[in-house]
């Protein structure tokens, strides 16, 4: 088992620091005895690893099939309009980062919105305002 | 026990992620300090359209109240108007084997798991030689509950017969097909069943270590699993023949293709989760080049019952070439979304009518998709196809992980097709050209058609592109990606043609 576990190192760094900054790549490569290209390759591969710190609250909208059938594209448009950001962007004051995911496994109670660690099911566009209000 | 506790009424409420999302979380919050009740947090029965569902004991077994709000407490405490759980048709019509404990037990109560027959399969396996365990599996005719539906005994035999100083058992908890959630339910709701299945596998192939590769999207599942491992370890269950058998949960990082076994192993080792060509199969050369059994959670969770009740008993359920039961997961625009475990062989129509309860209010049926984002789309005329591996293969479809999503009359099939191609373009690992380039070109063509600037030639091109991706891609992501798109065009041609530039 001499292969360095780059993913594990990146995930734990992200857990601690909120993001893996490009500046940290060299240090990790040195620590694991591998190249910066290897580390950068893993970092760019996984959607859940990111280089910039997200906003104070991360909103992720599930785009899975059941959520699609139950109107997640309308929800996404509504969120984009409300927050005035595109997917992957953070609102001006750094409050919310908007993202999507391919499936939250909450298909029977769809559509699904995840804010930080809270998962909300059967969400209607009309409920989004009140939902966002809960996060200061 | 003080008087207060003695007087408290025991109420059962699910702690499953979807039940929580449906309102169980706020119920628990509202009721946590009420001295008149004692809340038992169970797994969900999977009747998610009824969640949050609250149950209490009665002389005739459990009685339930559906879609409960905090204001319903007096009604529940009075005991009036509850429905006996066994009389709920959605549940009564099922054959629960792998999901038999759901709604009944507290997921992390090892004693309850054992009292309901848990660990009997492992006990049997410990008294058998590896060859006899594999024979029992052969008798069950169990096929892997992932995409390829490969006979499980065969895979185990290869790993067992391959000489190596170390072997591994890996549970694939990254089966991230959109529309499926039974793995999540097992991880959260009956984790000891997964661990038991992994231990039986380890005993059969001679493995010394196990891993559960769990999706990053399932934080509650990973936490429950860690706790279950800790409890199993304390109870000295994580050992085989006097040797420790450590099991570790490893977190994924949001890549769909890491559900493919070779990509999963690369990711587990800490690199980019990129697919590699087979053979060699992981059963011969898997994690760190050693023989490794990679099976999904549902497959491992089925093993304990096969060992405790016998392979022949299991094979008596279902059909000749699709034995046993399948966990179907209903979602989309049905009236009654939820988990349904039935023997193979029922038609799609029967499943949708008997369990789905028809369409959601105001919705009319348009199409159904089985097997996640790479599954074929069926119109109403195809609903009599029986749910089994062969019939699906004949219809040019796959059963996959058993996700069934229903789309209604408002669905734009061109946009849906684009949605699937965009999904593949996003998730392709990039290793093979047909998938990496084909999915991007496919998405572009569909965007053109959607924007009204596509031509008849574009539809022909999409067909050619699809055929190339089917035969030349390295794994099922690229190979199956054309199916939803091509079946959408086949069954709903007018929607595509009406958007073309003339």
């Amino acid at each position: 088992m001499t292969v360095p576990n780059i993913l594990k190192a990146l995930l734990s760094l992200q857990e601690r620091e909120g993001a893996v900054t490009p500046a940290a790549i060299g240090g990790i490569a040195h620590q694991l005895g591998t190249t910066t290209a290897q580390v950068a390759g893993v970092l760019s591969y996984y959607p859940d690893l990111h280089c910039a710190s997200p906003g104070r609250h991360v909103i992720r909208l599930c785009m899975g099939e059941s959520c699609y059938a139950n109107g997640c594209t309308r929800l996404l448009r509504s969120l984009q309009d409300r927050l005035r950001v595109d997917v992957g962007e953070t609102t001006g004051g750094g409050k919310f980062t908007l993202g999507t995911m391919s499936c939250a496994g909450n298909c029977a109670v769809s559509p699904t919105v995840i804010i930080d660690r809270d998962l909300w099911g059967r969400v209607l566009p009309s409920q989004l305002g009140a939902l966002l209000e809960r996060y200061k | 026990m003080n008087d207060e506790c003695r007087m408290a009424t025991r109420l059962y409420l699910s702690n499953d992620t979807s039940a929580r999302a449906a309102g169980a979380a706020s119920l628990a919050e509202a009721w946590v300090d009420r001295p008149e009740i004692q809340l038992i947090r169970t797994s969900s029965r999977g009747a998610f359209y009824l969640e949050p569902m609250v149950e209490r004991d009665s002389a005739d077994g459990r009685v339930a109240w559906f879609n409960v709000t905090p204001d319903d407490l007096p009604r529940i405490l009075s005991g009036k108007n509850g429905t006996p759980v066994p009389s709920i048709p959605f549940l009564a019509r099922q054959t629960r084997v792998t999901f038999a404990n759901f709604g009944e037990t507290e997921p992390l109560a090892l004693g309850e798991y054992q009292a309901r027959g848990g660990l009997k399969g492992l006990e049997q396996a410990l008294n058998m030689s590896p060859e006899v365990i594999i024979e029992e599996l052969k008798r069950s005719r169990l096929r892997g509950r992932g995409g390829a539906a490969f006979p499980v005994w065969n895979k185990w035999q290869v790993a067992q017969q391959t000489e190596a100083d170390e072997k591994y058992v890996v549970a694939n908890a990254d089966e991230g097909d959109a529309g499926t959630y039974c793995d999540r339910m097992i991880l959260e709701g009956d984790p000891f069943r997964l661990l038991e299945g992994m231990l039986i596998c380890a005993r059969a192939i001679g493995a010394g270590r196990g891993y559960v590769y769990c999706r990053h999207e399932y934080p509650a599942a990973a936490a429950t699993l860690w706790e279950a491992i800790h409890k199993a370890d304390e109870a000295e269950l994580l050992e085989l023949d006097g040797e420790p058998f450590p099991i570790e949960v490893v977190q994924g990082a949001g890549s769909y293709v890491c559900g493919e076994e070779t990509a999963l192993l690369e990711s587990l080792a800490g690199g980019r989760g990129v697919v590699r060509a087979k053979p060699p199969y992981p059963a011969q050369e898997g994690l760190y080049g050693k023989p490794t059994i990679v099976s999904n959670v549902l497959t491992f969770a089925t093993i304990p019952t096969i060992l405790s009740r016998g392979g022949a008993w299991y094979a008596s359920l279902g059909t000749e070439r699709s034995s046993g039961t399948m966990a179907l997961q209903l979602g989309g625009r049905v009236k009654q979304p939820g988990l349904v475990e039935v023997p193979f062989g029922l038609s799609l129509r029967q499943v949708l009518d008997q369990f789905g309860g028809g369409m959601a209010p105001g919705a009319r049926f348009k199409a159904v998709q089985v097997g996640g984002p790479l599954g074929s789309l069926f119109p109403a005329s195809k609903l009599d196809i029986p749910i089994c591996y062969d019939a699906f293969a004949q219809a040019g479809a796959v059963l996959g992980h058993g996700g069934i999503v229903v789309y209604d009359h408002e669905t734009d099939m061109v946009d849906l097709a684009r949605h699937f191609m965009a999904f593949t373009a996003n998730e392709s690992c990039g290793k093979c050209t047909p998938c990496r380039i084909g999915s991007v070109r496919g998405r572009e063509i569909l965007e053109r058609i959607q924007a009204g600037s596509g031509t008849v030639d574009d539809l022909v091109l999409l067909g050619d592109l699809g055929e190339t991706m089917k035969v030349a891609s390295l794994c099922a992501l690229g190979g199956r990606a054309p199916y939803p798109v091509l079946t959408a065009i086949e069954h709903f041609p007018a929607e595509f043609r009406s958007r073309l530039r003339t």
Side-chain angles (χ1 to χ4, degrees), chain A residues 47-130:
Chain A
D48 289 348
L49 291 173
H50 34 82
C51 297
S53 290
R56 291 198 297 287
H57 302 290
V58 177
I59 304 177
R60 285 184 302 161
L61 196 69
C62 179
M63 302 301 284
E65 270 65 279
S66 189
C67 287
Y68 181 97
N70 281 309
C72 70
T73 39
R74 276 197 304 274
L75 270 184
L76 180 62
R77 271 197 301 274
S78 178
L79 269 173
Q80 286 169 318
D81 290 348
R82 216 173 260 279
L83 301 174
R84 291 193 210 97
V85 291
D86 214 339
V87 173
E89 293 176 352
T90 301
T91 53
K95 186 172 177 185
F96 291 112
T97 299
L98 180 62
T100 57
M101 65 196 298
S102 50
C103 186
N106 187 44
C107 321
V109 189
S110 57
T112 303
V113 177
I114 298 180
I115 306 180
D116 302 333
R117 286 174 182 268
D118 309 328
L119 190 143
W120 304 91
R122 298 175 186 150
V123 181
L124 300 170
S126 59
Q127 295 169 332
L128 282 175

Side-chain angles (χ1 to χ4, degrees), chain A residues 1 4-8 41 44-48 63-66 68-70 101-109 119 121-122, chain B residues 18 21 48 51 178-179 181 184 215-217 253-254 257 267-268 270-273 332-333 337 369 373 407 415-416 419 429:
Chain A
M1 287 195 227
N5 197 320
I6 302 171
L7 177 58
K8 203 172 176 178
S44 65
Y45 185 77
Y46 291 97
D48 289 348
M63 302 301 284
E65 270 65 279
S66 189
Y68 181 97
N70 281 309
M101 65 196 298
S102 50
C103 186
N106 187 44
C107 321
V109 189
L119 190 143
R122 298 175 186 150
Chain B
S18 284
F48 287 113
E51 293 282 7
Y181 45 87
R184 182 190 59 68
R215 305 184 65 202
H216 199 214
E217 292 88 337
V257 84
S267 183
L268 189 56
R272 289 162 70 97
R333 301 290 285 150
Q369 185 180 31
Y407 298 95
D415 185 60
L416 188 61
H419 178 80
C429 79

Side-chain angles (χ1 to χ4, degrees), chain B residues 214-236:
Chain B
C214 186
R215 305 184 65 202
H216 199 214
E217 292 88 337
Y218 290 172
T224 306
L225 208 51
W226 268 122
E227 210 171 322
I229 289 169
H230 182 65
K231 290 200 171 191
D233 197 25
E234 271 185 348
E236 296 178 358

Side-chain angles (χ1 to χ4, degrees), chain B residues 126-210:
Chain B
L126 293 176
N127 292 322
M128 292 170 166
S129 70
E131 291 79 8
V132 174
I133 297 174
I134 291 171
E135 272 307 307
E136 202 60 49
L137 265 188
K138 192 173 179 181
R139 220 165 283 143
S140 77
R141 299 197 304 272
L142 176 71
R143 295 166 70 167
R145 295 290 186 246
F150 195 72
V152 176
W153 71 269
N154 203 336
K155 198 152 126 178
W156 286 24
Q157 194 174 55
V158 171
Q160 196 251 323
Q161 290 174 350
T162 305
E163 296 277 333
D165 55 349
E166 180 68 291
K167 297 180 185 179
Y168 301 104
V169 174
V170 176
N172 181 353
D174 193 78
E175 292 270 325
D177 269 358
T180 63
Y181 45 87
C182 70
D183 281 355
R184 182 190 59 68
M185 286 180 68
I186 292 168
L187 298 168
E188 287 183 38
D190 207 3
F192 295 119
R193 182 180 285 271
L194 167 66
L195 301 184
E196 187 180 353
M198 290 175 71
L199 280 158
I200 294 168
C201 176
R203 160 86 186 151
I205 69 162
R209 186 174 278 272

Side-chain angles (χ1 to χ4, degrees), chain B residues 90-359:
Chain B
F90 183 87
L91 296 173
R93 289 177 181 146
Q94 298 188 37
T95 305
R96 290 271 173 120
V97 177
T98 307
F99 286 82
N101 290 342
F102 280 72
E104 295 284 341
T105 55
E106 286 182 82
L108 288 164
L110 187 54
E112 281 186 36
Y113 177 68
Q114 242 173 315
R116 290 181 57 87
L119 301 182
K120 278 205 183 113
L122 178 61
E123 219 171 277
Q124 294 279 4
L126 293 176
N127 292 322
M128 292 170 166
S129 70
E131 291 79 8
V132 174
I133 297 174
I134 291 171
E135 272 307 307
E136 202 60 49
L137 265 188
K138 192 173 179 181
R139 220 165 283 143
S140 77
R141 299 197 304 272
L142 176 71
R143 295 166 70 167
R145 295 290 186 246
F150 195 72
V152 176
W153 71 269
N154 203 336
K155 198 152 126 178
W156 286 24
Q157 194 174 55
V158 171
Q160 196 251 323
Q161 290 174 350
T162 305
E163 296 277 333
D165 55 349
E166 180 68 291
K167 297 180 185 179
Y168 301 104
V169 174
V170 176
N172 181 353
D174 193 78
E175 292 270 325
D177 269 358
T180 63
Y181 45 87
C182 70
D183 281 355
R184 182 190 59 68
M185 286 180 68
I186 292 168
L187 298 168
E188 287 183 38
D190 207 3
F192 295 119
R193 182 180 285 271
L194 167 66
L195 301 184
E196 187 180 353
M198 290 175 71
L199 280 158
I200 294 168
C201 176
R203 160 86 186 151
I205 69 162
R209 186 174 278 272
Y211 294 96
V212 181
Y213 184 88
C214 186
R215 305 184 65 202
H216 199 214
E217 292 88 337
Y218 290 172
T224 306
L225 208 51
W226 268 122
E227 210 171 322
I229 289 169
H230 182 65
K231 290 200 171 191
D233 197 25
E234 271 185 348
E236 296 178 358
L237 284 173
L238 297 186
E239 54 183 56
L240 291 166
D241 302 320
E243 293 289 319
F245 182 78
I247 298 181
E248 196 181 322
V249 185
V250 175
Q251 201 178 25
S255 164
Y256 172 83
V257 84
C258 286
E260 196 280 340
E261 57 180 355
T262 61
L264 185 151
L265 294 174
E266 292 298 319
S267 183
L268 189 56
R272 289 162 70 97
V274 174
V275 172
R276 71 157 171 77
K278 294 185 278 191
Y281 291 96
Q284 301 159 298
E285 284 180 37
L287 187 63
Y288 309 119
K290 308 287 183 186
T292 306
I293 289 298
V294 185
S295 282
N296 62 48
V297 171
L298 187 57
T299 309
F300 280 123
T302 308
I303 307 283
T305 316
I306 291 176
L307 267 289
S308 66
R309 301 189 68 168
W313 173 82
Y314 190 76
S316 71
L317 300 167
T319 70
E320 179 62 27
R321 288 181 43 80
S322 301
S323 68
T325 58
M326 182 67 185
L328 302 168
Q329 298 125 85
L330 301 184
R333 301 290 285 150
V334 281
K335 196 169 171 190
Q336 302 181 168
L339 175 101
V340 173
E341 184 178 0
V342 282
F344 284 95
L346 257 67
S347 73
L348 261 173
R349 190 185 305 279
Q350 281 171 311
V351 169
L352 292 180
D353 289 350
Q354 292 177 15
F355 298 100
M359 296 297 290

